[in-house]
Amino acid sequence: METNRQKKIGGVIQKDLVDILQGEVRKNGISNLVISVSKVSVTSDLSVATVYLSIFPQDKAQETLDGIKSNTTLIKHDLSQRVRLQLRRVPNLVFFIDDSLDYIEKIDNALSNRENPIENRDLLDKRRKS
């Protein structure tokens, strides 16, 4: 369970990372790319921050994540300049793609299609046998 301090630090990092990443997208003139920081969780010793990114369009997600991971040290430096009055040490950043929206979309599509297991109970029997 996260403490209040971990939540506050995660919120500060999340807000500033959004500014950094979206600023870089705008500065480089990249169009049709949206990067949002959906969650930041910080370890109890405040040494590692796990950052979950939502990237749209989905087909550019892995490529964009690879670019962000390769520039982690520069991102951490920019972040340290922004939070230098709030944090003594900036945690190491670990980036992941947040796929929770994709999961929700798959559930929504399954429920709206004819393969809806709620309306067609025979599908539940097929999935249990396989």
Side-chain angles (χ1 to χ4, degrees):
M1 186 169 150
E2 284 188 326
T3 64
N4 284 338
R5 178 135 176 89
Q6 288 172 285
K7 290 177 187 176
K8 286 179 185 177
I9 290 173
V12 168
I13 291 172
Q14 181 176 2
K15 178 187 167 297
D16 288 327
L17 278 178
V18 167
D19 293 341
I20 291 168
L21 294 175
Q22 289 179 351
E24 284 299 315
V25 168
R26 274 186 253 115
K27 185 169 71 173
N28 291 324
I30 301 171
S31 61
N32 299 329
L33 180 66
V34 178
I35 302 173
S36 65
V37 180
S38 56
K39 183 179 179 187
V40 175
S41 56
V42 183
T43 57
S44 59
D45 62 353
L46 308 178
S47 64
V48 177
T50 305
V51 181
Y52 295 95
L53 302 173
S54 294
I55 301 171
F56 185 79
Q58 224 17 62
D59 58 339
K60 294 183 180 180
Q62 191 59 46
E63 175 187 340
T64 305
L65 181 66
D66 293 340
I68 289 171
K69 284 183 176 180
S70 67
N71 291 309
T72 301
T73 55
L74 296 173
I75 294 169
K76 183 178 176 182
H77 180 266
D78 287 349
L79 182 63
S80 68
Q81 297 301 310
R82 291 172 179 253
V83 299
R84 68 177 179 258
L85 299 177
Q86 297 166 321
L87 299 175
R88 188 176 304 161
R89 283 186 46 204
V90 175
N92 293 326
L93 304 173
V94 181
F95 294 97
F96 292 102
I97 292 178
D98 181 17
D99 58 355
S100 61
L101 293 177
D102 296 333
Y103 181 72
I104 292 169
E105 184 178 348
K106 286 179 184 177
I107 291 172
D108 190 42
N109 287 340
L111 292 175
S112 64
N113 289 338
R114 59 185 166 90
E115 295 184 7
N116 184 343
I118 295 173
E119 294 176 4
N120 188 355
R121 294 290 183 181
D122 295 334
L123 291 172
L124 291 174
D125 294 333
K126 287 180 187 177
R127 292 183 183 177
R128 287 182 185 153
K129 291 177 184 176
S130 54

